[in-house]
Amino acid sequence: FLAEAYTVYTLVGFFFQTLSLDRSTDDIPPDPNFTPSVDIFIPTYNEDVEILRRTATGALFVNYPNKKVYILDDGKRPEMKALADELGCG
């Protein structure tokens, strides 16, 4: 009985938590030309440089106007820094 009562209690609580009292909509439509900035992070630790070159190149070719690509190397390898500089990544 206690388990069933607890289930009903949480169901009622969930209903009231998800109940939205403000159902108004904005009168101003969103700007269709607005493109928020998107950051693409490529984390790496001891992966081969050629694998990361293909991954970073694919991320750079994502069809989105306002993006930045970052290679995040935990090993702080100089070849990763050179690859990021060569491809134009952060």
Side-chain angles (χ1 to χ4, degrees):
F1 175 75
L2 291 176
E4 293 295 327
Y6 178 73
T7 302
V8 171
Y9 172 74
T10 46
L11 178 66
V12 170
F14 178 74
F15 174 75
F16 284 111
Q17 283 180 340
T18 58
L19 184 64
S20 176
L21 300 177
D22 183 21
R23 299 192 189 273
S24 65
T25 58
D26 293 332
D27 294 334
I28 302 170
D31 183 13
N33 298 323
F34 174 67
T35 54
S37 175
V38 172
D39 295 334
I40 301 173
F41 298 120
I42 304 170
T44 176
Y45 185 76
N46 289 336
E47 280 86 9
D48 187 37
V49 175
E50 288 307 312
I51 292 173
L52 291 170
R53 178 184 306 278
R54 286 183 272 169
T55 303
T57 303
L60 287 168
F61 279 106
V62 169
N63 188 15
Y64 190 79
N66 194 10
K67 70 175 180 307
K68 295 177 186 170
V69 179
Y70 297 95
I71 297 176
L72 310 175
D73 183 33
D74 287 344
K76 296 184 180 179
R77 297 178 286 169
E79 57 267 17
M80 287 297 109
K81 174 73 172 142
L83 177 66
D85 292 340
E86 175 188 335
L87 296 176
C89 299

